[in-house]
Amino acid sequence: MKAIRAVVLAVMLACAAACGGSGGAADAADGGRVTLRVGDQKGTGMQALLEASGQLKDLPYDITWSQFTSGPPMLEAVNAGSVDVGTVGNAPPVFAAAAGSKITIVGVSEKGLGGQAVVVPSGSPITTVAGLKGKKIAVAKGSSANYHLLAVLKKNGLSFADISPQYLQPPDALAALSTGRVDAWAIWDPYTAQAQHQIGARILVDATGYANGFEFQIAGTDALGDPARARALGDLMARVRRAHTWANEHPAEWTEVYARLTGLAPGVIAMAVPRNRYTDLKLDADVIGREQQVADAFAEAGLIPGTVEIADITDARYNEGAQ
């Protein structure tokens, strides 16, 4: 277990070491360049993607990067005002909004569903979703995997009351799965690929037919209310969309750069990239309606306090250029 945790820690440190950025104030009140504080996580790899695609060249503003293990702690930082924007999956904005956080959805893309998965050890006797009943399942609370797991259980006649959820961040969950302390793990790429590649984990069920593949750019209220940062955010959203197009058109190059910048094994990234192509979308009624289903499912299950109206936390000002 210690060896596995050391490997995971080394990966996280390598990712953090790859994350540079310029310092400076969060606004341009002194007449200088504005600085955007951007949150990132290994599962989305925004900095790696922007760098690989050349979209960090000739920025009219500066960026500082902060690394997070998953979406929920990133949105805590956005709410606290220490991060201006970050990319998360479908569930974190629901949990954040339910907690009264000052966050706004400003961009959306959709990725393939094959990398969102519930995985089990290679020798596990669990072969169906029904076999998860009574089992310990690792999941990051409030993450997209949390929703995927909820949807999988519900569609197969089970609920969270029928399992023993173990709320763990990805590095701890990987160690727990590999040592038998949990029976299954609900997770997303590249962690899904890492579990497959590193410990021979088997995908029990992916998100096809269960969840959406939304990745949201989430901004803080203060950042959107500052004209200079709001303009910078608009430029960043356009660069993210161009980077997505580049990654779709250059999968081999994207795989090589992503592995190098994150420190993950090339085999892990080579497994993850083909099943995670991007489709950029507008924040329209269709997206809002599909995401509302996520919010309603968490409310119905009693996993969030009250209800969340997705339309109330959506700002479509940066839709230009999306499909």
Side-chain angles (χ1 to χ4, degrees), residues 26-299:
D27 57 48
D30 61 356
R33 283 164 61 93
V34 67
T35 295
L36 279 184
R37 299 163 300 175
V38 183
D40 197 13
Q41 53 177 315
K42 186 166 62 177
T44 58
M46 181 186 285
Q47 186 186 14
L49 179 60
L50 289 169
E51 183 172 331
S53 60
Q55 291 302 316
L56 291 182
K57 296 178 181 177
D58 302 318
L59 287 171
Y61 46 86
D62 295 321
I63 292 180
T64 60
W65 297 92
S66 298
Q67 289 293 315
F68 298 87
T69 55
S70 64
M74 182 191 299
L75 294 195
E76 289 177 11
V78 172
N79 178 58
S82 57
V83 168
D84 295 320
V85 65
T87 299
V88 301
N90 56 25
V94 172
F95 276 74
S101 296
K102 298 179 292 183
I103 57 101
T104 302
I105 299 171
V106 294
V108 59
S109 62
E110 190 158 25
K111 294 171 69 173
L113 300 174
Q116 292 188 52
V118 178
V119 300
V120 296
S122 58
S124 172
I126 300 173
T127 57
T128 66
V129 173
L132 295 175
K133 187 173 183 178
K135 303 301 184 182
K136 293 181 179 179
I137 305 177
V139 63
K141 189 172 185 178
S143 68
S144 59
N146 200 165
Y147 175 68
H148 177 215
L149 178 58
L150 173 65
V152 164
L153 293 173
K154 182 178 179 179
K155 197 168 183 176
N156 288 274
L158 300 174
S159 72
F160 263 65
D162 293 311
I163 65 168
S164 178
Q166 307 294 302
Y167 293 118
L168 300 171
Q169 289 298 308
D172 294 324
L174 177 60
L177 185 73
S178 64
T179 56
R181 290 191 289 113
V182 297
D183 302 293
W185 183 20
I187 191 56
W188 58 89
D189 266 335
Y191 294 109
T192 302
Q194 187 177 16
Q196 291 176 278
H197 188 267
Q198 186 171 315
I199 63 172
R202 170 169 50 87
I203 292 180
L204 179 68
V205 57
D206 65 25
T208 304
Y210 292 101
N212 63 52
F214 290 156
E215 261 193 4
F216 291 113
Q217 281 78 51
I218 309 293
T221 301
D222 290 344
L224 286 171
D226 178 282
R229 278 185 288 172
R231 286 192 298 272
L233 282 168
D235 179 82
L236 182 64
M237 294 302 99
R239 290 172 185 267
V240 168
R241 287 193 286 269
R242 290 196 294 269
H244 288 164
T245 299
W246 177 88
N248 288 342
E249 295 175 351
H250 301 83
E253 189 174 351
W254 170 220
T255 296
E256 187 277 325
V257 177
Y258 193 8
R260 174 168 51 82
L261 293 179
T262 61
L264 288 166
V268 170
I269 301 303
M271 187 179 292
V273 164
R275 60 191 182 198
N276 285 282
R277 290 178 59 83
Y278 299 93
T279 301
D280 287 301
L281 304 172
K282 293 183 184 295
L283 286 170
D284 58 13
D286 178 66
V287 167
I288 291 172
R290 292 168 65 196
E291 182 63 8
Q292 188 64 52
Q293 294 174 7
V294 177
D296 292 345
F298 279 121

